[in-house]
Amino acid sequence: MASVACIGECMVELRQAQGGQAGGLFSRGFGGDTLNTAVYLARLDVKVDYLTALGDDGMSDEMIAAWNAEGVGTRRVVRLPGKLPGLYMIQLDANGERQFFHWRDSAAARQLMSLPETDELLNSLMSYDIVYLSAITLSIYDAAGRERLFAAIKRARLLGTRFVFDTNFRARGWPDRDVAREVFAAAFAAADIVLTSTEDMLALYPGESPEQLMARIPTPELVFRLAEPVSLLRFPAGTSEVRAEPMTKPVVDTTAAGDSFAAAYIAARLGGSEPVEAAQAGHRLASLVICYPGAIIPGYAMPPKKRHRPAPTRQATK
């Protein structure tokens, strides 16, 4: 069975209660971009492990229990005594727009690349068919940690593991855009598949056209999502444009649209689908997810599972 390692950070989420006023009640949950993708992968019957670090506190225990309940593997989660997960708060402004506030500088996940267990964790990447992470993942490590991670990914690729990089860019996580551009370039050079968007790339390279932005990414397989519900694909067999089907339900919450797209795309590719069919699957799931509040939709709302062709035999990268 094909397997995926998702690397990243899950944080405690405080969300303003529906209809609440400033200073009022907040509900508590958990959130993280790569964790969202891992959950949707598990729901799509992909064997997936989440690689991160947590504390030894009760909230970290709840996270582990929730991930196990979703079928996400937790054997690669490192528990650090005395540490805590990061925290962020979502608050609505006067216009109903969301604002995010983060407390994560000392979060356990930030230490994942500098622990006694790190070598064993990184060596395990060779056992997976795909390693998936985002730019948010890379932003929580220092330069030495990123270098260590990239070196491990390159070793894993020699044995046939594919690296999928999602550009999910958040400016607040980077000291400046020059550092982000340098890290993105390194990730692009190492990746087998890049999932990106005009929103992410224009934040780094303002004013450039989609064609110019795509030219910056040398990876053999590229999915470039436009502001409209359209993806431009580039892959060894050619190029294609994939449009999402028209929405039939109102959009409620766009949280995790990209995360769920990534999960459906990866699941389809692991199942033997070509990039165009995989992008169609990504659009279908993302279009469903945005019709529900929150990042993770109810299990009963998931689309019927589709049978894919057997995954191709894993081959080492030359």
Side-chain angles (χ1 to χ4, degrees):
M1 183 178 183
S3 59
V4 178
C6 290
I7 309 174
E9 178 185 21
C10 182
M11 293 182 285
V12 177
E13 176 189 274
L14 297 180
R15 178 185 292 268
Q16 191 170 2
Q18 189 171 6
Q21 301 296 319
L25 296 175
F26 285 76
S27 61
R28 192 190 75 186
F30 305 115
D33 64 335
T34 54
L35 186 277
N36 298 335
T37 299
V39 169
Y40 284 115
L41 280 169
R43 290 185 175 186
L44 293 169
D45 289 338
V46 174
K47 184 179 179 182
V48 56
D49 286 335
Y50 197 57
L51 282 60
T52 191
L54 292 174
D56 57 354
D57 59 291
M59 289 180 291
S60 295
D61 291 339
E62 290 180 21
M63 287 185 185
I64 292 286
W67 305 345
N68 284 329
E70 285 283 1
V72 175
T74 58
R75 59 183 174 145
R76 309 290 188 196
V77 177
V78 182
R79 305 296 295 271
L80 302 181
K83 298 296 292 184
L84 294 167
L87 179 147
Y88 70 97
M89 180 174 69
I90 303 175
Q91 192 173 43
L92 300 178
D93 63 18
N95 298 316
E97 295 293 331
R98 293 182 300 170
Q99 293 180 304
F100 293 84
F101 304 88
H102 291 78
W103 294 266
R104 66 195 300 197
D105 289 347
S106 60
R110 301 180 77 89
Q111 299 183 20
L112 189 64
M113 292 299 125
S114 57
L115 298 171
E117 299 91 344
T118 301
D119 283 341
E120 180 181 355
L121 189 78
L122 293 178
N123 287 336
S124 76
L125 298 183
M126 294 184 249
S127 65
Y128 294 93
D129 294 278
I130 282 179
V131 172
Y132 169 82
L133 56 84
S134 73
I136 293 179
T137 303
L138 296 174
S139 73
I140 69 174
Y141 309 135
D142 60 17
R146 289 191 288 263
E147 185 176 347
R148 197 174 183 184
L149 175 57
F150 281 141
I153 288 172
K154 290 174 183 177
R155 291 194 301 271
R157 291 184 71 244
L158 293 174
L159 296 178
T161 298
R162 286 181 287 172
F163 171 34
V164 180
F165 176 55
D166 193 324
T167 60
N168 209 0
F169 176 70
R170 298 294 182 270
R172 63 178 175 269
W174 299 92
D176 58 60
R177 279 175 169 73
D178 286 338
V179 172
R181 293 185 189 106
E182 182 179 347
V183 174
F184 271 53
F188 292 155
D192 297 282
I193 301 173
V194 169
L195 307 175
T196 189
S197 66
T198 51
E199 179 183 5
D200 290 341
M201 292 297 286
L202 283 175
L204 290 174
Y205 304 100
E208 293 194 0
S209 68
E211 292 74 20
Q212 290 173 313
L213 295 172
M214 292 175 71
R216 290 184 175 276
I217 306 173
T219 185
E221 185 169 331
L222 171 64
V223 180
F224 191 97
R225 298 188 304 276
L226 303 181
E228 55 186 305
V230 176
S231 291
L232 304 179
L233 274 59
R234 187 186 71 214
F235 46 95
T239 60
S240 187
E241 178 182 295
V242 177
R243 289 187 171 271
E245 297 178 1
M247 295 288 296
T248 58
K249 297 181 180 179
V251 175
V252 174
D253 186 346
T254 59
T255 303
D259 307 334
S260 57
F261 180 102
Y265 187 90
I266 292 170
R269 292 294 281 133
L270 283 173
S273 295
E274 295 300 321
V276 169
E277 187 179 1
Q280 292 169 339
H283 279 301
R284 282 195 297 272
L285 183 56
S287 296
L288 179 63
V289 167
I290 63 177
C291 295
Y292 292 83
I296 306 299
I297 64 176
Y300 63 77
M302 289 291 293
K305 294 174 183 175
K306 180 180 178 180
R307 292 185 177 273
H308 297 285
R309 295 183 294 276
T313 302
R314 183 172 144 154
Q315 297 180 344
T317 301
K318 297 181 179 179

